[in-house]
Amino acid sequence: MPAPGIRPAALTSLLLLATFLCASVAPPAQAETIWSRLFGVGESLRYEINTPTHGFTVRVHGSLTINDAEDDVTTVTHWAAIEERREGVKRAMTFKLEKNGQVSRNYTVGGRPMPVDDEARRWLARVLPVMLRETGLQREQRIDRIMAKAGPAAAHRAVIDEMKLILSAHSRRKYAQSLLGRGPLPAAEFAPFMAAVADIDGDYDKRQVLNTLIDKQTLTPALQAEVLKRVAQMSSDYEQRSVLVVLAPKLVAEPAVAAAWQSVLRAMDSDHERGEVVRAMVRREGGSPAVIDLALSSAREIAGDFERAGALAQIAKQLGTPSAAQVVAYADAASGIRSDFERRNALEALVKRAALDKAGHERVLAAMKGMQSDHEIRQVLVTIARQMPADPALVARWRDVARMLSEHERGQAERAMDERKL
């Protein structure tokens, strides 16, 4: 059975492949300016790419089918043409559906008609596989053929080796996702696979592969750390955050993973993206203490007051009965918030959401040091008064803080304490 036909309507959704065929068909000696474009209208398509020394053009009216050997066009519904300009020589082959149902082939070199001989067939056999590889066309069928030819023991490695030949970030990403969708990746193939992913030129496509990997594969702590190393190499904060948010529900916060996670956060420039990551870490119920500890540590990487306070408030929802170390970590992170309003929000979230003992409340009172707004201090004191245990020493410490307020604000705070009848 022939492979499914290639239709222009499907091609028009592909990304413009800036490196299409440049190395595999005619590798330039050095980097060149590349110009490419793709037009698709109805049943017509034109794809072309040009550099100063090389060019490749595909034009299709209707659809065409390429055989499994990838050395010939077997069917066209109307006509198609492939042209290559290489080393100053232009070669072209046109395929046309004749009235008898056969496909005619016309081959030219430098504009002169030439026979479709062995040289012409060798040229076509060289060009067609690269076209398929770089565009991702007939991808699933190609992967089936590659894996079947390699055999079960070497099937995954054969596809990974094919991925390494692909210059297009879009197409390499599609091959990687197709491979991941075919079942667990053998442990021995993980490192070669990740090396092929690391070479993808584009954070968007790299992120898509890593997200598919996280979704489709069971990742050990060592493999999670390896994924995070690849994320750290990305330049886009948004793309980095997108991967971390997908990994967060499966995160195993062992030392190597935690260190790699922190490295990614430190590499980010955006506090907004850091905040989104920390919130994602504790968004699900029942997070492990190790993950919560890592989230608290990660919150300290957030410089922005609003984002840090929001992240801490999300963490507070999952603390339950926190350990003494967790309360200290939370309070220390809150102490670094410069805005009195945002620090108040973070401290109130802890008092309201977590079951704090005497030491925990004392730590919150200590974390208020440096706040200048009587109003915000009073708000925290009122919240503490409604939650704190009836311990005389703790009440005395609370009153020490309240004495620093203005008469009006202190009166409001003391009223809340009196209502508790402590």
Side-chain angles (χ1 to χ4, degrees), residues 204-320:
Y204 169 81
D205 291 292
K206 193 176 295 183
R207 181 254 293 182
Q208 294 280 353
V209 175
L210 293 176
N211 284 354
T212 302
L213 175 67
I214 295 165
D215 180 56
K216 298 292 186 181
Q217 305 290 312
T218 299
L219 301 179
T220 64
L223 297 184
Q224 288 192 7
E226 183 64 25
V227 168
L228 289 167
K229 288 179 183 178
R230 302 304 178 187
V231 177
Q233 295 168 354
M234 298 164 69
S235 59
S236 165
D237 287 1
Y238 171 80
E239 303 296 356
Q240 288 176 316
R241 183 262 289 179
S242 298
V243 179
L244 296 185
V245 166
V246 173
L247 179 59
K250 301 181 179 182
L251 188 65
V252 180
E254 293 191 1
V257 179
W261 184 275
Q262 293 286 64
S263 293
V264 178
L265 286 182
R266 293 189 187 106
M268 289 181 173
D269 294 321
S270 168
D271 279 335
H272 170 73
E273 304 298 358
R274 288 193 187 99
E276 287 295 308
V277 169
V278 175
R279 284 188 283 271
M281 295 175 72
V282 291
R283 196 162 285 145
R284 61 187 179 127
E285 297 288 341
S288 71
V291 170
I292 291 175
D293 290 346
L294 180 57
L296 287 166
S297 178
S298 299
R300 300 192 67 167
E301 301 294 336
I302 303 172
D305 292 344
F306 174 78
E307 295 296 344
R308 184 185 289 202
L312 287 173
Q314 185 70 39
I315 294 171
K317 295 178 181 179
Q318 303 299 336
L319 280 175

Side-chain angles (χ1 to χ4, degrees), residues 8-269:
L11 286 176
T12 56
S13 65
L14 293 172
L15 297 176
L16 293 180
L17 306 175
T19 51
F20 178 49
L21 292 173
C22 288
S24 300
V25 174
Q30 57 186 5
E32 302 178 77
T33 301
I34 297 172
W35 168 79
S36 63
R37 61 182 178 179
L38 175 65
F39 298 108
V41 180
E43 288 293 296
S44 297
L45 173 139
R46 179 183 177 93
Y47 179 87
E48 59 184 295
I49 185 165
N50 279 286
T51 77
T53 58
H54 312 106
F56 194 86
T57 302
V58 178
R59 291 176 292 160
V60 179
H61 183 58
S63 65
L64 75 160
T65 300
I66 297 173
N67 64 357
D68 287 350
E70 300 179 5
D71 60 5
D72 196 11
V73 173
T74 54
T75 66
V76 293
T77 56
H78 296 289
W79 62 265
I82 301 174
E83 300 174 0
E84 180 196 27
R85 173 176 51 84
R86 181 183 184 186
E87 297 176 351
V89 179
K90 181 178 178 181
R91 292 176 172 83
M93 190 172 290
T94 302
F95 309 86
K96 184 179 179 182
L97 180 66
E98 303 294 347
K99 291 182 179 179
N100 63 4
Q102 299 299 308
V103 177
S104 64
R105 293 161 180 79
N106 295 295
Y107 178 58
T108 62
V109 179
R112 298 172 55 190
M114 301 293 287
V116 183
D117 55 11
D118 288 346
E119 187 277 334
R121 284 187 283 271
R122 283 194 297 270
W123 173 79
L124 188 63
R126 176 171 56 82
V127 171
L128 286 179
V130 180
M131 182 185 73
L132 292 175
R133 184 183 297 133
E134 294 297 334
T135 62
L137 297 171
Q138 297 183 201
R139 181 181 67 258
E140 298 296 342
Q141 295 90 337
R142 292 195 80 229
I143 292 176
D144 286 341
R145 292 196 298 269
I146 292 168
M147 297 184 80
K149 183 177 180 180
H156 288 83
R157 179 63 62 89
V159 178
I160 294 170
D161 289 343
E162 181 72 9
M163 286 169 52
K164 293 177 181 178
L165 298 175
I166 301 172
L167 299 176
S168 159
H170 171 81
S171 185
R172 189 181 290 207
R173 182 250 294 182
K174 287 294 187 181
Y175 270 75
Q177 289 178 310
S178 292
L179 182 60
L180 292 172
R182 291 166 182 254
L185 193 67
E189 306 304 336
F190 190 85
F193 178 85
M194 292 302 290
V197 173
D199 288 338
I200 292 177
D201 183 19
D203 285 350
Y204 169 81
D205 291 292
K206 193 176 295 183
R207 181 254 293 182
Q208 294 280 353
V209 175
L210 293 176
N211 284 354
T212 302
L213 175 67
I214 295 165
D215 180 56
K216 298 292 186 181
Q217 305 290 312
T218 299
L219 301 179
T220 64
L223 297 184
Q224 288 192 7
E226 183 64 25
V227 168
L228 289 167
K229 288 179 183 178
R230 302 304 178 187
V231 177
Q233 295 168 354
M234 298 164 69
S235 59
S236 165
D237 287 1
Y238 171 80
E239 303 296 356
Q240 288 176 316
R241 183 262 289 179
S242 298
V243 179
L244 296 185
V245 166
V246 173
L247 179 59
K250 301 181 179 182
L251 188 65
V252 180
E254 293 191 1
V257 179
W261 184 275
Q262 293 286 64
S263 293
V264 178
L265 286 182
R266 293 189 187 106
M268 289 181 173
D269 294 321

Side-chain angles (χ1 to χ4, degrees), residues 405-419:
L405 299 178
S406 67
E407 184 176 348
H408 172 74
E409 298 293 354
R410 180 181 177 183
Q412 294 289 320
E414 293 283 3
R415 186 174 298 111
M417 179 64 77
D418 293 340
E419 289 173 354

